[in-house]
Amino acid sequence: MSYQPTVSQLIHLADNALILGHRLSEWCGHGPALEQDIALSNIALDYVGAARNWYQLAANQINSLQDKAAFPLNAQGEATEDTLAYLRDAFDFKNFLLLELPNGDWAVTTLRLLLSASYQQLLLQQLSTNEHADVAAIAAKSLKEVTYHVRWSEDWVKRLGDGTDESHQRLQAAYHELWPYIGEFWENKLALPIDIASMQAQWLAKINQVFEASHLPQGVLPTWHQTGGTEGIHTEHLGYILAEMQFLQRAYPNAEW
Amino acid sequence: MEQMLSPEAQHFQEKIDKEIKIEPKDWMPEKYRHTLIRQISQHAHSEIIGMLPEGNWITRAPSLKRKAILLAKVQDEAGHGLYLYAAAETLGISRDEMYHQLHTGKAKYSSIFNYPTLTWADMGVVGWLVDGAAIMNQVPLCRTSYGPYARAMVRICKEESFHQRQGFDSLLVLSKGTPGQRRMLQDAINRWWWPSLMMFGPTDDASPNTVQSMQWKIKRFTNDELRQKFVDVCAEQVKLLGCTLPDPDLKWNAERGHYDFGAINWQEFWNVVSGNGPCNKERIEARRKAWDNGAWVREAASAYASKQQAKQAVAAA
Amino acid sequence: MNTTIRILRYGDYDAMQKAGSNIPATNSSNHATSTAPEWPLWEVFVRSKQGLDHKHVGSLHAADAAMAIENARDVYTRRQEGVSIWVVESKYIHASNPDEADSFYEPASDKVYRHPTFYDLPEAIKHM
């Protein structure tokens, strides 16, 4: 039997991209150097683009369902990328908690990107060979982008780790803040068709190699971690993201933009 | 003007008259260098400050498509600021020094960005009117006499062409939308029209530098010439939106072949320029904060680079 | 406005070396917090497609070469302008002196025999 992605799986992939892209886009105009502003905006754009691709695939799937009214629809009665992004409440979002945390400083931003993009890279490598053609195509496109995000964030984490005392301390603080959230990567509660065990080992090896160059202690998978995102139980931060992001669609229902 | 030009100065003006570009290491009058530094850095600051009023709508854009377009556009502005800072740097001023002038209020930037962006329609109107006015100013600068400036402007104009189009495109959608959207649209036009006209700067008789700048071909049309051209274009375009421009005196003058328009409130202009606009303080504060908060990041990267260099030197020895 | 003009651009490295100068910090003393020197300036060259030369497209600031290449990718190839990037720290570029332009380039102007159009060949020889 060939693999059919579930709507939940697709929405999870889309939400991850959208929420991280949203956070990264908050840096636009406020980065530590003009060149870095431009770099982060590029990365944010990649994620907004990836989110659109996954939402569109999810919307196609929803529109072929009998009970599509369980999902938010537009005036024509169709699910679209925008109804999915703009008309769901927090408990229907399935992104990892890690991605909705505030940007913090440059250390939190770049370390989060490294942790997430390294996971995404392994995930997308597997999905890019998936037998479902659309899934494989979107994954292959995103994989190229994410490979660059890994490189970019890895370079920055190393710079901060082996830069000044202050930058090292800030990186360490970022590590303590973010590490409790990585456990969600390995739960695979939505049963994506991936080999989690091999991904986990590769991910940890990669991260620890960067940590070594950054003079950080080797990371060990936490025995207890923050969880709930993929089931719609979020941090308080997501509500604020959605309030901001969805305001126009909510204030002007069924309008075209 | 000096009575007698030195041989260098004469040679310099001959090159300008023959449309030969001046390059960084060529001889140039100090006043030319300073005027250019002032003009290019003001232009660069305008791009960077200009990111803020639009940037604050990226997280609120009403569709994923509009979000991507707006983000790409604001990112382009960062790029344009960068090209221009680089052009100014060839004249011997560092980017840090220019930032310093901006952060301490010594440098000016386009007064338009001291106005707030209050609704989504402002994004489209900024694209249509503000970018439209900017393009009108910028296109002639692609032929400006200073090579690095001209090359930066060519690149900017090429990229800028999508900005105005996306703005008008989003306004067309609003104009065909709900009554609420149309109200939002007219409100934004009302607020941005007069500040856009002010973007061309004081009237010609109040622009003391224009004559010299025209002679040096740093500037190629006067403020009033460009402003009139802009009014003529917009007065027609606004009809496509089913909206009006907020000027009861606006009417076609067949004799002149141009639109007549009402008096600009120059008192407002000079107040905004000198720091009393609605958002002057917020804009500078936002830039200063980004710069100060980024200091440790820039220092870390420099420290890392020297450590890596030292390691390589050891490895090579 | 009291502007400090310190020329540091391509071709100036020689002069500074001769003067025994280290490349100085650019910040003036009254900067609010940042006292670190500016990231150095880099010149960027982009190959727009396979088979063409790398062409100078502009400059940018970066702390090191890896960052310069990444920044160049984000700043100068956002619209698919390139397939390959070179960066070089601006201070390492040696430039000819415009004051010597006459002695450098004028002597080439009367050597028309270097150009293929100088030679009239019979019609019968089509491609040479």
Side-chain angles (χ1 to χ4, degrees), chain C residues 37-92:
Chain C
E38 205 169 22
W39 288 346
L41 192 66
W42 300 72
E43 300 301 321
V44 180
F45 302 81
V46 169
R47 186 200 294 288
S48 58
K49 62 179 193 191
Q50 292 298 110
L52 296 183
D53 290 327
H54 284 78
K55 184 171 171 291
H56 183 240
V57 294
S59 40
L60 49 75
H61 288 273
D64 53 47
M67 194 198 285
I69 288 189
E70 288 170 8
N71 289 351
R73 175 249 193 206
D74 290 323
V75 173
Y76 290 106
T77 67
R78 293 200 302 285
R79 289 176 171 78
Q80 301 178 296
E81 292 97 335
V83 296
S84 165
I85 294 171
W86 288 349
V87 294
V88 58
E89 238 187 286
S90 311
K91 64 180 185 183
Y92 291 122

Side-chain angles (χ1 to χ4, degrees), chain A residues 32-33 35-36 38-40 42-43 46 144-145 148 151-152 155-156 159, chain C residues 39 59-71 73-75 78:
Chain A
E35 284 82 354
Q36 299 308 323
I38 297 173
L40 260 194
N42 252 357
I43 296 174
D46 287 342
K144 287 181 198 152
E145 296 164 353
Y148 183 75
R151 175 195 157 123
W152 185 88
D155 284 354
W156 266 109
R159 281 186 196 110
Chain C
W39 288 346
S59 40
L60 49 75
H61 288 273
D64 53 47
M67 194 198 285
I69 288 189
E70 288 170 8
N71 289 351
R73 175 249 193 206
D74 290 323
V75 173
R78 293 200 302 285

Side-chain angles (χ1 to χ4, degrees), chain A residues 160-249:
Chain A
L160 300 184
D162 195 17
T164 60
D165 289 345
E166 180 179 4
S167 69
H168 186 80
Q169 278 163 20
R170 283 177 182 265
L171 181 64
Q172 213 150 27
Y175 165 79
H176 289 299
E177 183 182 334
L178 300 175
W179 200 253
Y181 290 90
I182 59 155
E184 267 194 299
F185 292 169
W186 319 115
E187 293 173 344
N188 199 15
K189 281 192 186 149
L190 297 169
L192 285 162
I194 48 177
D195 174 2
I196 277 286
S198 80
M199 276 175 62
Q200 195 184 53
Q202 286 181 71
W203 182 86
L204 197 60
K206 167 77 187 177
I207 295 298
N208 275 331
Q209 175 214 320
V210 180
F211 280 7
E212 194 183 338
S214 314
H215 306 304
L216 285 183
Q218 294 288 288
V220 178
L221 293 176
T223 49
W224 184 86
H225 63 263
Q226 301 292 345
T227 184
T230 50
E231 296 161 307
I233 302 167
H234 287 272
T235 67
E236 290 180 346
H237 305 295
L238 184 65
Y240 290 99
I241 292 181
L242 299 185
E244 192 172 343
M245 184 169 80
Q246 299 181 338
F247 142 70
L248 278 166
Q249 288 269 356

Side-chain angles (χ1 to χ4, degrees), chain B residues 51 80 112 135 140 148 165 236 256 306:
Chain B
M51 294 171 70
H80 298 171
I112 193 89
I135 290 170
R165 292 176 73 101
E236 291 300 318
R256 289 202 308 128
S306 358

